[in-house]
């Protein structure tokens, strides 16, 4: 006799659009993860190939079974993390009117400040209870050292990023952290290649001038009984990989397993949380999982975090990897150009931005 379908479901947004997942219990439960695995990256750049390969296999296992991992010994300096935490807290402590001077609607690339409730991923709520500062690839900024032959036609007329005048060290510290995160992302690219049985340098071309963004976030606490808001609603990332630094001790990040249950990913000292994004899920034909997650800060404390989103350079074509297709198997996804697909996802997520409204009027999204 068929089992009765679950009356509960989780609604989330991912690369395939708005989706649902039933909340299972009892005899309906599936084998799935109940915790986030930890991977030690101490040997990720070892001179011994077998040691690098061993780390790659751990990464591949975590990305296949969970889509998330805690990264230890990632190489980002503790002093830098302390300094970036300080400038982020100082920025969000500025008066509201001061932060609004760099509101995202003033940037053609949707970069700058997002106030509380600016976005609403879960349409059953009033909005996402977070404020954010966003920056990303901007060939007009000298810190990014764009290649001389970069095709600027894929970018709006700059400048694209917006920066506050205070704290004085904000821009330089953010850029210092971004460089460190990109260094670890480059290591991850090589490990991912080994994990899917490809040459270590297979993905190096993706990082020539990557769509690499940083998002500083502040989540005020919410009451456990308040379902009208959420830190950020359930979603999957549209990156290749995301590196999240949980800068403070407030637990709030939750990851959705196959049974529709939320698994806590609390801060772990000296770690980064690394997760698969939609680009990597597509390239591996769903071998690696772009796992749904949300932030719900019921800790009673202020939460600050810093997310680094690595996506390939604009012109890179995302194709199903040959080693991720069994004999006779066909790709689940068509080829896409990274820059065009990411722009569409970004415009869909920021419906109030002038560029998003214009794209909808033209029928582009």
């Amino acid at each position: 006799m068929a089992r009765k379908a679950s009356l509960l479901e989780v609604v989330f947004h991912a690369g395939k659009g708005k989706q649902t997942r039933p909340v299972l219990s009892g005899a309906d439960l599936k084998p799935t993860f109940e915790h986030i695995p930890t991977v030690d990256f101490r040997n990720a750049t070892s001179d011994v190939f077998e040691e690098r390969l061993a780390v790659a296999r751990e990464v591949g296992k975590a990305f296949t079974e969970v889509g998330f991992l805690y990264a230890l010994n990632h190489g980002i300096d503790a002093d830098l993390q302390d300094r970036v935490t300080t400038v982020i807290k100082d920025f969000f402590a500025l008066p509201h009117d001061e932060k609004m001077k760099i509101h995202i609607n003033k940037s053609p690339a949707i970069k700058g400040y997002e106030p509380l409730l600016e976005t609403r991923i879960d349409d059953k709520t009033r909005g996402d209870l977070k404020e954010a500062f966003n920056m990303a690839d901007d060939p007009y900024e000298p810190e990014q050292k764009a290649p001389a032959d970069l095709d600027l036609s894929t970018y709006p007329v700059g400048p694209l990023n917006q920066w506050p005048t205070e704290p004085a060290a904000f821009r330089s510290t953010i850029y210092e952290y971004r460089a460190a995160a990109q260094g670890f992302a480059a290591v991850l690219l090589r490990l991912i290649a080994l994990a899917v049985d490809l040459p270590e340098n297979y993905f190096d071309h993706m990082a020539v001038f990557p769509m690499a963004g940083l998002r500083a976030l502040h989540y005020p606490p919410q009451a456990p009984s308040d379902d009208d808001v959420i830190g950020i609603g359930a979603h999957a990332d549209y990156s290749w990989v995301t590196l999240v630094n949980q800068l403070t001790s407030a637990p709030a990040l939750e990851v959705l397993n196959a049974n529709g249950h939320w698994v806590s990913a609390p801060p772990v000292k000296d770690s980064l949380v690394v997760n698969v994004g939609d680009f990597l899920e597509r390239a591996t034909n769903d071998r690696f999982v772009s796992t749904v997650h949300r932030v719900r800060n019921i800790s009673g404390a202020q939460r600050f975090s810093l997310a680094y989103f690595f996506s390939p350079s604009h012109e890179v074509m995302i194709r199903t990897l040959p080693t991720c297709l069994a004999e006779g198997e066909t790709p689940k996804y068509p080829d896409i150009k990274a820059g065009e697909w990411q722009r569409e996802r970004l415009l869909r997520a920021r419906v109030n931005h002038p560029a998003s409204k214009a794209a909808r009027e033209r029928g582009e999204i």
Side-chain angles (χ1 to χ4, degrees):
M1 183 174 66
R3 297 184 180 123
K4 185 177 180 180
S6 170
L7 297 178
L8 298 175
E9 62 183 15
V10 177
V11 180
F12 59 90
H13 291 265
K16 304 179 183 72
K18 188 175 181 179
Q19 300 175 65
T20 62
R21 182 173 302 169
V23 180
L24 304 180
S25 61
D28 292 322
L29 289 172
K30 303 175 182 178
T32 187
F33 65 90
E34 297 294 342
H35 70 281
I36 309 303
T38 298
V39 176
D40 189 335
F41 284 80
R42 188 185 310 274
N43 291 326
T45 57
S46 167
D47 291 336
V48 180
F49 174 76
E50 288 74 16
E51 292 181 346
R52 301 196 303 275
L53 181 61
V55 179
R57 286 173 174 161
E58 287 189 63
V59 170
K61 185 175 188 293
F63 282 179
T64 300
E65 296 178 355
V66 182
F68 269 74
L69 60 83
Y70 288 111
L72 300 181
N73 292 305
H74 45 72
I76 299 179
D77 183 72
D79 173 69
L80 172 57
Q81 294 183 75
D82 289 342
R83 288 187 287 112
V84 81
T85 301
T86 296
V87 297
I88 286 171
K89 287 182 174 181
D90 288 348
F91 169 75
F92 286 123
L94 292 172
H96 177 72
D97 290 347
E98 189 67 25
K99 291 180 286 189
M100 288 296 287
K101 290 179 180 178
I102 57 167
H103 187 273
I104 59 169
N105 283 5
K106 298 177 182 179
S107 160
I110 320 182
K111 300 297 177 280
Y113 174 67
E114 284 181 342
L116 296 172
L117 306 179
E118 176 83 16
T119 59
R120 187 178 69 157
I121 291 181
D122 186 341
D123 53 19
K124 300 190 299 298
T125 69
R126 287 189 296 119
D128 298 326
L129 191 63
K130 61 159 177 59
E131 54 178 343
F133 169 82
N134 306 281
M135 63 81 62
D137 51 310
D138 186 341
Y140 308 103
E141 294 195 329
E143 295 96 332
Q144 299 199 21
K145 300 177 182 177
D149 60 350
L150 185 68
D151 181 7
L152 294 180
S153 69
T154 61
Y155 291 89
V157 175
L160 308 181
N161 291 321
Q162 301 185 89
W163 296 95
T165 56
E166 296 293 335
F170 187 82
R171 177 168 175 162
S172 61
T173 308
I174 289 291
Y175 262 118
E176 187 179 351
Y177 183 90
R178 183 178 186 262
Q182 288 190 183
F184 182 55
V187 172
L188 264 175
L189 281 178
R190 294 197 156 208
L191 295 171
I192 290 168
L194 289 177
V196 292
D197 303 312
L198 290 167
E200 278 183 276
N201 63 353
Y202 191 87
F203 299 123
D204 284 4
H205 68 288
M206 290 187 170
V208 172
F209 195 69
M211 295 184 290
L214 271 182
R215 195 177 201 200
L217 292 144
H218 168 223
Y219 298 94
Q222 66 179 96
S225 59
D226 188 0
D227 294 326
D228 194 35
V229 292
I230 190 169
I232 187 167
H235 67 284
D237 291 345
Y238 48 89
S239 56
W240 182 267
V241 289
T242 303
L243 317 179
V244 177
N245 199 325
Q246 303 191 82
L247 300 171
T248 50
S249 59
L253 178 61
E254 298 175 332
V255 181
L256 190 67
N257 70 17
N259 289 320
H261 300 171
W262 291 105
V263 176
S264 178
V268 171
K269 183 176 173 56
D270 298 326
S271 76
L272 297 177
V273 175
V274 181
N275 64 276
V276 174
D278 292 342
F279 278 134
L280 182 52
E281 181 180 65
R282 292 175 70 104
T284 59
N285 219 36
D286 291 348
R287 179 191 295 187
F288 292 168
V289 187
S290 182
T291 303
V292 174
H293 51 285
R294 69 180 184 183
V295 174
R296 182 169 174 261
N297 184 15
I298 59 173
S299 69
Q302 305 292 327
R303 173 182 168 87
F304 296 89
S305 64
L306 183 55
Y308 168 87
F309 302 92
F310 175 86
S311 290
S313 304
H314 274 241
E315 73 283 357
V316 168
M317 293 299 297
I318 305 296
R319 299 183 173 93
T320 303
L321 300 170
T323 55
C324 292
L325 289 172
E327 186 175 353
E329 186 180 11
T330 58
K332 297 179 181 179
Y333 304 99
D335 296 351
I336 54 171
K337 183 173 284 189
E340 294 174 359
W341 192 78
Q342 179 149 304
R343 177 179 179 274
E344 180 182 333
R345 289 291 307 274
L346 181 61
L347 291 176
R348 288 186 184 277
R350 301 293 184 274
V351 295
N352 295 319
H353 191 277
S356 179
K357 293 177 180 178
R360 287 199 304 279
E361 289 175 1
R362 294 191 299 265
E364 296 175 358
I365 61 173

